Every structure is written in structure tokens, then in C-alpha cells.
């Protein structure tokens, strides 16, 4: 029954284990189990009756022929339950297995909390294991690199300030080729909106910034982008367990918005960035809510269309389906608004089943895709269920309003030969929206 | 012997159950202060909304996905709560001790519920052995717990119908029930105490913070 995991050697694990001393292990076990984790850890472990009803919530379990080792409670058994029992007598093999499970086989998508009859937050237990591994220095190499980048450059992908500004100017020109009056206003204090993006946009998907410049111009919004650090709203430290850096990144992002005296922050199509900016970051900083409202792109597009600021000129043809990002559907309840948008711009929107809060994760989120190419084969194998779900819609295009989903779904579409185009919603909106003649110049 | 077991020993078991439960809940609520997010995120409306969906048969998608389990599990929990409280023989003892009385379960219904509780115990046992995802996470303690729960119902049924010698069966029944009561707050059966807390916290986080639902 049990599928044996393919061996994957992550240098990040091995280097950490080589440096690990028994004293450090004892200290970290004490710090995490006795100091940082409190009532939630204790009550969850005491309450779980090992009923296994969370299993079918997990795409890893469903995709791996229902191997119990991949069920949420199975993962807890091999990680947190073991750690609480063995404490500092855990072996290096145990630690290797814990790190592998917590970082690469759980997307912390929180679907299982909706299937556990007691509402146990299993993702929290796995994130606490990540925190433990981070403090031990056992983190996947690629994931750690993104955290190092956050720490040194205040963005996820080592983008320098000159490259950042240069990319914005370039995308301003690109946007002007469609809408001549489009502009990307830098450092405009007192604008209504600060637009923030994740580092992969300037690094590899710069056209998305140009897309937004066109949308903002057509909608006639007052907006700005910072020229300084603090423009990146992504946060991989949140997923590596490095909460100190997570807090630092979020604080700068919000400080930048406050410095620009904007009324709200609108963010691009990304799920985890919303989670980091609106929940996990503020939580760590001791804020109940972010200091000013954070609006996800999907929410923003919905506002632009329903208020009439953007009009749809022609609907897109062809069967189109949707990948619902956990962090804005389970995490923000945008399921209805997403469907409104899909129906507003698509002639033939094919819904997925199960959907809304119950949708399956892309298997890339939660920092899993950031563990790098060495884990790709396992990750893609771990989401066969998603391939089945998408194939059943018969769509030829899938919309992913999240960067992690976008990359994860592209990998799945490629591996399972689904023959679908993977697009962001702004790609559709640009095709469908009316650009008034007076703006064409 | 019987007088001792149903008198002072029963009182001691009830007190341990009561104070043990209160102590466990109080300790958890106190510890939750250290978990900085718990109290700020609590929200009664969303907490109760989630709890309501999860105490309603088929109120959550997972229950609809497992119709047999849902029906069995609800019947079981109704049985294990209603029988100790509303069985006629138990009410007579309460009345003798405290003067308080309550309407009793009809005998036929009580018998049916007892049989259901025992059949579902057997179903739970089979599930632990047969279902790979349950077997993988089952510990020896889980089997013992199932036995601990089933034992008072088996002996109670035997005593009521006098299929075995009445006195010893009754004595075993009372002792095993007292054992269950004493251990309840300190084993996984404490999900009875903690379930409303965990569910309501999750419901509050999903509803008030994430504008979403958790069923």
C-alpha cells in the first residue's frame, strides 16, 4: 500500500544536519514546544482521536493512491506527534523526514481544517514544524535562498533598486503602446492606491505590471508605486519558519504604504502575498489588522467592473476554467467574486468541482514550489488530483489569479499533458475591456 | 460492597470527572493567553455558526462524503450521552441521592440505543483495523479507549437483562462506568470537552478573519 518516497537529497537539509549540535537541538526543542507554541498545540494534540477523516481533504493523499503517509493526520504522526514524544532524542533521519514532510509535502492550504470534525488546524502544526526546522537550520536550499534575498534585498528575487525602477519605466512604455495616457506614477505621495507586487513580476513576468498600468489608466485611478524597497509584498520567510524576517519584510511594506500616505494597498494576483500582508505578518507584529486596507487584485477588478469604471467590450471565446487560490478563496472568501469576474469576461466559463472553499490546492503554494527544481517531480506527482479536476472541465484555458498557482498549474498541465493555456486574470481582462477612444489618443 | 461502590466511590468518580474536566478546560483557557492570537481572533457569532454546522448531521461536506460514518457516529454519540443520563435505573439512583427527577427513556428505546452504541463500537473497531488511513494512525491506546467506552454498555446491558448473574454484572457495570468517568478528562475522550473550543476557534478564524466558512 505504502508508496516509498523517491529519495531526494536537499543540500539545505544535509548542511544543517552537519552543523547541528545536541545542545542546539535541546534548546530549540524547548523554545518551540515549551515557549512559542502554547494552547493550540496542546489542545490539538490532545483532541485528535485518530479518526482519519481529514485524509480525503488532502490532494497529496488523493494523488498518491490514498497512501496514508500522505494524509494530514499521517503527516502529523510523522512530525509533531513524534517530536512531542521524542523531544531532543529525535535522530537525524527523523529530522530529515520531518523537514521533507513539512516543507515539501504540505502546502499549508488549510483544506484539512474544514474536514477535521474538531476543526484542528493541521497546517498550523506543520508550520510549527517548519519553524522548528528553521531554528535548527534545516531548510530546503532554494527556499532558504529566497529568505536570504528577503533579508538582504527586501524582495524575494534579488532585484536591485536600479532594475526595479528600470523595469517600471519599461513597462510604462509597453502600456503606452496600447493606452498612450498610461503611466506608472512613482513615489506620488497622497495617491489613493499603492500598488504592490511580488518580486517574480519585475524579475520574470514584467508584462503583468504593464497590464495593471493599462487597467489603472482605463479605470482612471489615482495610484502610485514605491521607488524604494518595500514594494515587494511576497514573503517566503513566512513559509520557511523565519518569522523574524517575515515580520521585518511586512513592516517595511506597510511603512512604505504609510510613507506614501495612500488610502489602501492594492496588490497583484498572488495568494500567499495576501496572507503574509494581511494576516501572518500583522499577527507577528502584534497588529490585529493591517494599518490600512489591503485589497487583492480579484477584489479590485470586481470593484472596477461593478462600478462601471471598466466596461467589457467583448467576451473571450472558448472553454475557460479556474484555479482557485487557497489564500484568497479559503483565506478571503473571494469565490463568488471570482465567478462574477469569470462570467463577466468569458463566454464559456467551466466551473471546477469541488469548488470555492473546497477547491484543491495547486500543490505549489505554501512555499513548496520555492523548494526548487529538485522537488519538482515529487510535487507534480503529488497533484494528479488537480490534473483530473481540470481535465474534467474540458477547458482549453485555465485562469490562475495567483503566482504560485500559475507556476504550479503550468507544471501540472505540462506533465499530465492537459493541453491548456495558463493565464492570469489580467490577461483576460486586457483582451476583454473597452479602451475608450479618447484614451487611445 | 455494592453500597460502597454506588455511594462514596460514585461520588468520588463524579467529583474527579467534574473537577478534572473543569481543571483541564481552565488550564487550556489560561494557556491560550500565551498563544497571542487566540483571544483577539475569537468571535462568538462565527464560532457558534461553525459549531452549529458541525453538530448538525450532514451539516458539513465531509459528513455528506461519508454518509454511513455520519449516521453511525451521530447515533453513537446520542447513545453515549443519553443513556447514562436518562436511563430509568440511573434516574432512580439520582432521585434517591438528590431528590431530583427527570423523564426517563422508554425501555425499548434504551435497549435499542445500547445495542446501537455497541454495534457502532464494533464498527469503529473494524474501521481501525480495515481502513488503511485509520490503521496507520491508530495506537494501542485507541483500542483500549474503545474498550473502555464499550465496557459499561456491555455490562449494563447484561445486568439489565440478567443474562448473567445479576449482582456481579451490576457491580462490574458500576465500577467500569466510574473508571470511564474518572479517565475521561485525561484521555482522548476529552474531545468531548475540547471539541467546542477548537471548532469555535477555527470557525472564528475562518469567518471573522478570512471571510470564509469551514464546513
Amino acid at each position: 500500500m505504502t508508496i516509498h518516497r523517491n529519495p531526494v537529497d536537499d543540500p539545505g537539509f544535509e548542511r544543517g544536519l552537519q552543523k547541528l549540535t545536541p545542545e542546539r537541538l535541546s534548546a530549540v526543542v524547548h523554545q518551540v514546544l515549551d515557549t512559542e507554541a502554547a494552547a493550540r498545540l496542546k489542545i490539538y494534540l490532545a483532541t485528535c482521536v485518530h479518526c482519519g477523516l481529514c485524509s480525503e481533504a488532502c490532494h497529496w493523499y488523493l494523488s498518491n493512491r490514498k497512501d496514508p503517509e500522505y494524509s494530514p493526520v499521517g503527516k502529523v504522526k510523522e512530525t509533531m506527534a513524534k517530536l512531542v514524544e521524542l523531544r531532543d532524542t529525535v535522530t537525524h533521519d527523523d529530522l530529515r523526514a520531518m523537514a521533507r514532510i513539512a516543507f515539501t509535502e504540505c502546502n499549508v492550504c488549510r483544506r484539512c481544517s474544514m474536514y477535521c470534525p474538531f476543526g484542528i488546524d493541521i497546517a498550523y502544526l506543520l508550520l510549527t514544524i517548519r519553524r522548528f526546522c528553521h531554528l535548527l537550520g534545516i531548510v530546503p536550499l532554494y527556499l532558504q535562498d529566497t529568505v536570504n534575498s528577503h533579508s538582504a534585498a527586501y524582495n524575494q528575487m534579488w532585484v536591485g533598486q536600479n532594475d526595479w525602477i528600470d523595469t517600471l519605466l519599461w513597462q510604462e512604455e509597453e502600456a503606452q503602446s496600447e493606452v498612450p495616457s498610461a503611466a506608472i506614477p512613482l513615489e506620488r505621495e497622497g495617491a489613493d492606491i499603492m500598488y504592490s507586487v511580488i518580486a517574480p513580476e519585475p524579475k520574470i513576468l514584467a508584462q503583468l505590471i504593464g497590464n495593471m498600468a493599462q487597467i489603472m489608466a482605463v479605470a482612471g485611478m489615482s495610484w502610485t508605486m514605491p521607488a524604494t524597497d518595500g514594494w515587494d509584498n511576497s514573503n517566503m520567510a513566512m513559509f520557511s519558519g523565519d518569522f523574524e524576517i517575515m515580520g521585518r519584510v511586512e513592516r517595511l511594506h506597510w511603512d512604505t504604504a504609510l510613507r506614501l500616505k495612500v488610502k489602501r494597498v492594492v496588490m497583484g494576483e498572488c495568494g500567499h502575498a495576501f496572507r503574509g500582508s494581511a494576516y501572518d505578518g500583522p499577527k507577528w507584529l502584534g497588529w490585529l489588522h493591517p494599518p490600512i486596507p489591503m485589497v487583492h487584485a480579484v477584489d479590485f477588478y470586481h470593484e472596477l467592473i461593478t462600478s462601471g469604471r471598466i466596461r467589457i467590450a467583448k467576451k473571450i471565446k472558448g472553454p475557460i476554467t479556474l484555479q482557485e487560490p487557497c489564500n484568497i478563496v479559503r483565506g478571503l472568501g473571494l469565490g463568488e467574486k471570482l465567478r462574477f469576474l469569470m462570467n463577466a469576461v468569458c463566454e464559456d466559463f467551466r466551473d471546477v468541482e469541488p469548488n470555492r472553499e473546497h477547491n484543491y490546492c495547486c500543490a505549489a503554494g505554501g512555499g513548496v514550489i520555492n523548494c526548487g527544481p529538485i522537488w519538482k517531480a515529487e510535487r507534480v506527482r503529488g497533484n494528479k488530483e488537480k490534473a483530473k479536476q481540470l481535465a474534467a472541465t474540458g477547458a482549453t484555458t485555465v485562469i490562475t489569479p495567483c503566482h504560485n498557482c500559475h507556476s504550479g498549474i503550468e507544471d501540472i498541465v505540462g506533465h499530465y499533458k492537459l493541453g491548456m493555456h495558463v493565464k492570469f486574470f489580467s490577461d483576460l481582462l486586457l483582451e476583454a475591456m473597452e479602451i475608450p477612444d479618447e484614451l487611445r489618443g | 460492597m455494592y453500597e460502597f461502590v454506588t455511594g462514596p466511590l460514585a461520588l468520588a468518580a463524579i467529583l474527579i470527572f467534574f473537577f478534572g474536566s473543569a481543571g483541564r478546560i481552565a488550564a487550556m483557557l489560561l494557556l491560550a493567553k500565551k498563544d497571542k492570537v487566540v483571544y483577539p481572533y475569537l468571535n462568538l457569532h462565527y464560532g457558534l455558526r461553525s459549531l452549529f454546522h458541525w453538530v448538525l448531521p450532514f451539516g458539513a461536506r465531509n459528513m455528506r462524503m461519508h454518509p454511513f460514518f455520519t449516521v453511525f457516529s451521530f447515533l453513537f454519540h446520542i447513545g453515549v450521552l443519553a443513556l447514562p443520563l436518562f436511563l430509568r435505573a440511573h434516574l432512580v439512583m439520582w432521585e434517591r441521592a438528590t431528590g431530583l427527577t427527570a423523564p426517563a427513556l422508554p425501555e425499548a428505546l434504551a435497549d435499542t440505543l445500547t445495542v446501537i452504541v455497541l454495534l457502532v463500537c464494533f464498527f469503529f473497531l473494524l474501521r481501525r483495523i480495515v481502513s488503511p488511513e485509520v490503521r496507520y494512525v491508530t495506537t494501542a491506546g485507541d483500542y483500549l479507549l474503545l474498550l473502555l467506552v464499550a465496557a459499561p454498555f456491555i455490562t449494563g446491558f447484561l445486568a439489565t437483562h440478567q443474562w448473567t448473574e445479576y449482582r456481579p454484572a451490576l457491580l462490574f457495570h458500576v465500577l467500569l462506568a466510574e473508571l470511564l468517568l474518572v479517565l475521561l478528562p485525561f484521555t482522548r475522550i476529552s474531545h468531548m470537552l475540547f471539541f467546542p473550543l477548537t471548532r469555535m476557534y477555527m470557525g472564528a478564524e475562518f469567518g471573522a478573519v478570512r471571510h470564509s466558512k469551514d464546513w
Side-chain angles (χ1 to χ4, degrees):
Chain A
M1 187 64 205
T2 293
I3 296 168
H4 291 288
R5 292 169 164 89
N6 296 320
V8 177
D9 287 324
D10 194 309
F13 294 172
E14 299 313 316
R15 284 180 204 173
L17 285 168
Q18 272 166 21
K19 284 189 231 157
L20 183 64
T21 62
E23 293 74 27
R24 178 72 188 152
L25 179 60
S26 294
V28 170
V29 167
H30 174 67
Q31 179 181 339
V32 173
L33 295 186
D34 309 329
T35 314
E36 292 187 356
R40 284 184 294 165
L41 173 66
K42 295 242 158 42
I43 203 168
Y44 291 154
L45 291 179
T47 307
C48 174
V49 291
H50 306 153
C51 69
L53 286 170
C54 55
S55 304
E56 279 161 331
C58 186
H59 49 285
W60 286 89
Y61 170 79
L62 294 172
S63 302
N64 282 298
R65 281 182 272 166
K66 302 198 173 187
D67 180 341
E69 286 193 26
Y70 287 96
S71 80
V73 61
K75 292 179 213 177
V76 173
K77 175 188 163 167
E78 293 301 323
T79 57
M80 189 52 93
K82 192 177 253 181
L83 182 61
V84 166
E85 190 195 331
L86 299 177
R87 292 185 67 96
D88 57 6
T89 65
V90 286
T91 65
H92 280 201
D93 277 341
D94 292 334
L95 291 172
R96 222 175 259 121
M98 284 180 194
R100 175 172 182 157
I101 292 167
F103 284 113
T104 77
E105 294 170 0
C106 169
N107 298 91
V108 292
C109 77
R110 285 192 159 129
R111 194 171 190 262
C112 44
S113 316
M114 304 172 53
Y115 287 74
C116 169
F118 304 149
I120 293 175
D121 192 347
I122 300 164
Y124 160 79
L125 298 175
L126 273 295
L127 276 174
T128 307
I129 291 292
R130 291 191 190 184
R131 170 74 175 160
F132 168 72
C133 289
H134 151 70
L135 290 168
L136 293 179
I138 305 170
V139 177
L141 186 71
Y142 278 78
L143 181 62
Q144 187 57 48
D145 179 70
T146 63
V147 179
N148 294 349
S149 173
H150 275 303
S151 174
Y154 272 110
N155 68 71
Q156 191 198 128
M157 288 194 161
W158 303 101
V159 179
Q161 194 184 15
N162 49 350
D163 290 336
W164 166 244
I165 294 172
D166 197 45
T167 305
L168 296 185
L169 293 175
W170 162 44
Q171 282 307 315
E172 185 175 65
E173 277 178 29
E174 291 287 323
Q176 284 166 353
S177 65
E178 294 293 329
V179 184
S181 61
I184 299 182
L186 288 184
E187 293 290 317
R188 183 179 293 168
E189 209 179 278
D192 288 343
I193 293 167
M194 178 178 107
Y195 182 58
S196 69
V197 296
I198 76 168
E201 295 207 3
K203 192 83 174 181
I204 49 178
L205 289 159
Q207 74 276 14
L208 293 175
I209 300 175
N211 287 359
M212 192 48 108
Q214 288 189 50
I215 292 168
M216 290 285 193
V218 171
M221 305 306 278
S222 151
W223 70 299
T224 186
M225 290 184 86
T228 60
D229 288 342
W231 53 265
D232 181 13
N233 56 27
S234 74
N235 204 325
M236 283 305 136
M238 160 174 78
F239 289 141
S240 81
D242 194 339
F243 299 151
E244 287 76 8
I245 289 181
M246 170 187 79
R248 204 148 60 80
V249 167
E250 295 303 340
R251 183 183 286 280
L252 183 69
H253 177 242
W254 288 113
D255 279 352
T256 306
L258 291 170
R259 177 175 63 75
L260 290 170
K261 300 189 172 62
V262 294
K263 294 194 182 74
R264 52 187 183 152
V265 175
V266 171
M267 56 171 291
E269 294 177 45
C270 183
H272 96 274
F274 182 82
R275 176 181 183 157
S277 310
Y279 305 144
D280 290 29
K283 207 190 269 185
W284 179 261
L285 293 170
W287 309 336
L288 194 54
H289 304 290
I292 44 179
M294 180 88 183
V295 183
H296 189 270
V298 163
D299 215 349
F300 186 58
Y301 301 144
H302 181 266
E303 174 194 320
L304 296 183
I305 293 176
T306 51
S307 65
R309 281 180 173 272
I310 295 261
R311 287 176 211 283
I312 303 302
K314 59 167 181 45
K315 288 196 174 192
I316 315 291
K317 291 186 176 32
I320 303 181
T321 189
L322 177 66
Q323 157 60 22
E324 292 175 277
C326 306
N327 285 315
I328 65 163
V329 174
R330 237 185 316 287
L332 182 58
L334 288 183
E336 292 308 323
K337 287 184 178 174
L338 257 177
R339 278 168 182 74
F340 171 87
L341 292 180
M342 294 304 289
N343 286 314
V345 303
C346 305
E347 269 187 357
D348 181 10
F349 166 52
R350 306 275 179 93
D351 212 336
V352 283
E353 179 57 43
N355 55 42
R356 294 178 174 83
E357 281 91 345
H358 292 279
N359 190 37
Y360 296 124
C361 169
C362 63
V368 173
I369 195 168
N370 305 79
C371 294
I374 43 177
W375 294 101
K376 182 181 164 183
E378 292 296 289
R379 166 167 59 80
V380 173
R381 190 168 62 88
N383 212 0
K384 203 172 164 186
E385 196 63 22
K386 173 56 71 183
K388 277 201 277 184
Q389 186 199 28
L390 291 178
T393 64
T396 50
T397 300
V398 50
I399 298 302
T400 56
C402 166
H403 280 274
N404 278 328
C405 293
H406 189 269
S407 311
I409 297 296
E410 269 191 339
D411 289 341
I412 284 163
V413 164
H415 181 82
Y416 296 101
K417 302 193 170 43
L418 300 181
M420 292 180 179
H421 296 288
V422 186
K423 292 183 175 176
F424 287 95
F425 187 79
S426 71
D427 295 328
L428 285 192
L429 189 57
L430 241 54
E431 261 185 77
M433 77 177 174
E434 178 189 276
I435 300 177
D437 287 340
E438 65 268 23
L439 288 181
R440 287 192 189 272
Chain B
M1 179 70 174
Y2 177 73
E3 277 65 36
F4 174 73
V5 167
T6 54
L9 203 60
L11 183 67
I14 289 167
L15 287 177
I16 291 172
F17 162 71
F18 184 76
F19 286 105
S21 299
R24 288 275 283 163
I25 290 176
M28 218 46 108
L29 293 178
L30 214 61
L31 193 62
K33 279 193 179 163
K34 231 181 94 187
D35 235 329
K36 301 272 184 273
V37 297
V38 174
Y39 288 109
Y41 278 1
L42 269 186
N43 178 303
L44 196 64
H45 168 74
Y46 288 114
L48 288 173
R49 186 182 74 156
S50 168
L51 193 61
F52 175 72
H53 275 271
W54 284 93
V55 295
L56 202 72
F58 301 105
R61 182 172 188 261
N62 204 14
M63 294 191 220
R64 296 191 289 275
M65 283 165 65
H66 300 96
F68 288 110
F69 185 90
T70 303
V71 171
F72 292 168
S73 174
F74 271 89
L75 287 174
F76 171 82
H77 284 95
I78 290 169
V80 292
L81 290 175
L83 286 166
L85 292 174
F86 299 112
L87 194 81
R88 188 174 304 280
H90 295 170
L91 288 171
V92 168
M93 297 183 76
W94 276 118
E95 200 178 349
R96 221 177 279 162
T98 64
L100 298 172
T101 181
L105 289 171
E107 233 158 81
L109 180 62
D111 277 350
T112 315
L113 269 180
T114 311
V115 173
I116 287 173
V117 165
L118 291 173
L119 285 177
V120 179
C121 275
F122 186 65
F123 164 74
F124 285 159
L125 177 71
L126 276 186
R127 211 175 151 265
R128 288 214 178 278
I129 296 167
V130 175
S131 286
E133 80 276 18
V134 192
R135 189 174 60 222
Y136 182 66
V137 292
T138 295
T139 60
D142 294 327
Y143 290 114
L144 277 177
L145 226 52
L146 206 50
L147 189 67
L148 187 72
V149 173
F153 292 88
I154 298 172
T155 48
F157 196 72
L158 291 179
T160 309
H161 295 277
Q162 307 195 9
W163 291 351
T164 55
E165 235 179 290
Y166 179 63
R167 277 280 155 182
L170 190 64
L171 203 62
F172 271 120
H173 168 67
V174 178
L175 278 170
L176 287 166
E178 286 165 357
L179 182 68
L180 176 60
L181 216 50
V182 166
L183 291 179
L184 194 149
F186 310 104
T187 60
R188 292 188 183 279
I189 314 174
S190 60
H191 68 261
M192 171 180 148
L193 312 172
F194 294 144
F195 152 69
L197 304 181
T198 53
R199 188 80 260 170
M200 282 176 70
Y201 174 73
M202 195 37 86
E205 217 186 286
F206 264 82
V209 184
R210 297 190 220 141
H211 312 288
S212 176
K213 60 188 180 66
D214 64 336
W215 57 83

